[in-house]
Amino acid sequence: VQAYIEVKDRDGGIPLTDLTKVFDPFYRVDEDRSRATGGTGLGLSIVKTLVEGMNGTLKVQSKLNEGSVFTVALPM
Protein backbone atom coordinates (compact mmCIF):
# COMPACT_ATOMS: atom_id res chain seq x y z
CA VAL A 1 0.00 0.00 0.00
CA GLN A 2 1.33 3.43 -0.95
CA ALA A 3 0.37 7.03 -0.31
CA TYR A 4 0.48 9.42 -3.26
CA ILE A 5 1.01 13.17 -3.32
CA GLU A 6 0.56 15.09 -6.57
CA VAL A 7 1.63 18.66 -7.15
CA LYS A 8 0.35 20.24 -10.37
CA ASP A 9 1.05 23.57 -11.99
CA ARG A 10 -0.25 25.24 -15.10
CA ASP A 11 2.96 27.06 -15.88
CA GLY A 12 4.85 26.80 -19.15
CA GLY A 13 5.87 23.19 -18.62
CA ILE A 14 9.32 21.64 -18.83
CA PRO A 15 10.97 20.88 -22.18
CA LEU A 16 11.46 17.17 -22.83
CA THR A 17 15.25 17.64 -22.98
CA ASP A 18 15.22 19.01 -19.41
CA LEU A 19 12.98 16.38 -17.78
CA THR A 20 15.88 14.06 -16.92
CA LYS A 21 17.87 16.95 -15.41
CA VAL A 22 15.33 18.72 -13.18
CA PHE A 23 16.30 16.60 -10.15
CA ASP A 24 20.04 17.34 -10.54
CA PRO A 25 21.52 19.67 -7.90
CA PHE A 26 21.80 23.31 -9.03
CA TYR A 27 19.94 22.67 -12.30
CA ARG A 28 17.48 25.34 -13.38
CA VAL A 29 15.35 25.00 -16.49
CA ASP A 30 15.19 28.77 -16.94
CA GLU A 31 18.83 29.84 -17.15
CA ASP A 32 17.75 33.50 -17.30
CA ARG A 33 16.65 33.36 -13.66
CA SER A 34 19.27 34.54 -11.25
CA ARG A 35 19.53 33.64 -7.59
CA ALA A 36 18.32 37.16 -6.84
CA THR A 37 15.00 36.52 -8.62
CA GLY A 38 14.45 33.07 -7.21
CA GLY A 39 15.91 29.65 -6.88
CA THR A 40 19.24 27.94 -6.51
CA GLY A 41 18.24 24.73 -8.27
CA LEU A 42 18.36 22.67 -5.08
CA GLY A 43 14.68 22.19 -4.20
CA LEU A 44 13.81 19.22 -6.40
CA SER A 45 17.15 17.57 -5.68
CA ILE A 46 16.48 17.77 -1.94
CA VAL A 47 12.93 16.46 -2.35
CA LYS A 48 14.17 13.51 -4.42
CA THR A 49 16.83 12.65 -1.82
CA LEU A 50 14.27 12.75 1.01
CA VAL A 51 11.65 10.73 -0.88
CA GLU A 52 14.14 8.05 -1.91
CA GLY A 53 15.47 7.96 1.66
CA MET A 54 11.95 6.92 2.72
CA ASN A 55 11.89 4.20 0.03
CA GLY A 56 9.57 6.24 -2.15
CA THR A 57 9.63 7.48 -5.72
CA LEU A 58 9.37 10.90 -7.33
CA LYS A 59 8.21 11.30 -10.93
CA VAL A 60 7.45 14.21 -13.21
CA GLN A 61 5.25 14.52 -16.28
CA SER A 62 5.17 17.73 -18.25
CA LYS A 63 3.79 19.23 -21.43
CA LEU A 64 5.01 22.51 -22.83
CA ASN A 65 2.52 25.35 -22.50
CA GLU A 66 0.27 23.15 -20.31
CA GLY A 67 2.16 22.52 -17.08
CA SER A 68 3.72 19.78 -14.98
CA VAL A 69 2.67 17.10 -12.52
CA PHE A 70 5.07 15.90 -9.83
CA THR A 71 4.05 12.65 -8.12
CA VAL A 72 5.49 11.36 -4.86
CA ALA A 73 4.74 7.74 -3.89
CA LEU A 74 5.58 6.66 -0.33
CA PRO A 75 5.13 3.27 1.29
CA MET A 76 2.70 3.24 4.20
Side-chain angles (χ1 to χ4, degrees):
V1 178
Q2 292 189 323
Y4 292 92
I5 302 167
E6 279 191 355
V7 177
K8 299 178 183 182
D9 71 34
R10 294 175 193 238
D11 203 6
I14 301 168
L16 184 60
T17 56
D18 292 314
L19 279 178
T20 59
K21 303 174 197 171
V22 295
F23 300 112
D24 293 348
F26 303 107
Y27 187 79
R28 290 183 281 172
V29 173
D30 186 355
E31 293 179 9
D32 292 334
R33 289 179 69 180
S34 70
R35 288 190 179 133
T37 59
T40 58
L42 287 174
L44 289 174
S45 174
I46 291 169
V47 169
K48 183 175 183 188
T49 299
L50 291 171
V51 168
E52 289 178 349
M54 294 183 279
N55 297 316
T57 59
L58 175 60
K59 296 181 182 178
V60 61
Q61 295 177 319
S62 189
K63 290 186 181 179
L64 278 179
N65 303 315
E66 291 184 28
S68 304
V69 179
F70 291 85
T71 305
V72 174
L74 296 170
M76 293 186 62

